[in-house]
Amino acid sequence: RPSGMVLWRDQTPLIGLYHEALVKCIGALVSADRTLIGPVIGALLHPDIWPTEGSQGVMTSGGRGSGANTPKLILLLHEVDTLITLLRKKDDLEDQLETNASSFDVHFPSLVSRLCLCISSDNSRTSERALQMFQNDAFSYMVKRKLTELGPQFIRALCRCTNNGEGFEVSWNPTVRKMSFFVLTELEGYYNQLDSSDTESEAFSIA
């Protein structure tokens, strides 16, 4: 019989019954003014809504938690992914794209912190869903804009650096390992596009 922690972690949130319809409604509203996407995502990241990985249940030896409400976290990751997609449309001019992205700048560091917790989690479901964000063109655009500031944080999470910073671990899940490798390769490509090669070597040396 599953333990009480497992039953709590894997319970289906009530919002899951109508979440997809709710996401579509919110998406339709913010599409009229895409500068609202940032504040909406910022509200979703509030501790009262976003279940912090590791805030419940046991902690792993590497300091990573595995006790967050997994179904709720995946629903929220899906919602954030969907909203970020709206930041970039095919017919957007560069000025419009930059305006939309700039409106999200204040909330992006907080999102990256949440995503890094998910990526480095021992829970493969949340880790995989967070890694899928890099398939989102608008998200990748945001990462490129803030690469020098937030790139090292992603690299530490992907390499699962230990608390003392002297080593790293690999995920027990083969799918997560494969996805992490692809994302690291993608980040390396972003660094190669920067003008300064010093930034690349410094960021990757952190991991």
Side-chain angles (χ1 to χ4, degrees):
R1 183 186 177 200
S3 67
M5 188 278 288
V6 172
L7 289 173
W8 176 87
R9 183 195 67 191
D10 294 339
Q11 62 183 316
T12 301
L14 180 61
I15 195 174
L17 299 176
Y18 55 88
H19 184 256
E20 189 62 32
L22 180 61
V23 171
K24 290 180 179 179
C25 289
I26 294 175
L29 290 172
V30 299
S31 290
D33 181 2
R34 285 179 285 168
T35 60
L36 296 175
I37 294 174
V40 170
I41 292 178
L44 293 175
L45 297 176
H46 192 279
D48 288 343
I49 298 177
W50 192 280
T52 303
E53 191 76 14
S55 62
Q56 299 285 343
V58 297
M59 296 293 290
T60 65
S61 58
R64 293 181 296 274
S66 58
N69 185 324
T70 302
K72 180 180 179 181
L73 196 50
I74 290 175
L75 287 176
L76 288 170
L77 287 168
H78 166 69
E79 184 169 357
V80 169
D81 196 6
T82 301
L83 292 174
I84 289 178
T85 300
L86 299 175
L87 285 171
R88 186 174 191 175
K89 295 182 179 180
K90 291 182 179 180
D91 56 348
D92 276 344
L93 298 176
E94 191 66 29
D95 290 345
Q96 180 63 53
L97 178 58
E98 184 61 27
T99 298
N100 296 337
S102 298
S103 68
F104 188 38
D105 281 346
V106 68
H107 303 286
F108 195 58
S110 296
L111 174 61
V112 170
S113 296
R114 303 295 200 285
L115 290 178
C116 286
L117 283 174
C118 293
I119 289 171
S120 62
S121 171
D122 287 326
N123 188 324
S124 61
R125 291 178 61 195
T126 55
S127 185
E128 287 178 29
R129 187 62 188 85
L131 289 167
Q132 287 175 15
M133 295 281 289
F134 282 87
Q135 299 174 12
N136 185 325
D137 290 340
F139 178 78
S140 296
Y141 178 82
M142 292 295 302
V143 172
K144 291 177 184 178
R145 292 178 73 255
K146 298 294 182 179
L147 190 61
T148 55
E149 303 169 33
L150 302 174
Q153 190 174 348
F154 276 121
I155 294 170
R156 285 192 292 268
L158 290 161
C159 294
R160 297 169 176 260
C161 294
T162 55
N163 288 336
N164 57 18
E166 296 179 355
F168 64 92
E169 301 174 358
V170 295
S171 172
W172 63 271
N173 185 277
T175 302
V176 173
R177 290 200 300 268
K178 184 176 181 180
M179 294 178 70
S180 297
F181 173 77
F182 285 146
V183 171
L184 282 169
T185 302
E186 188 172 343
L187 287 175
E188 185 177 16
Y190 295 166
Y191 277 108
N192 287 335
Q193 294 173 11
L194 295 179
D195 293 333
S196 173
S197 59
D198 292 336
T199 306
E200 177 187 355
S201 58
E202 179 182 352
F204 275 86
S205 67
I206 293 175

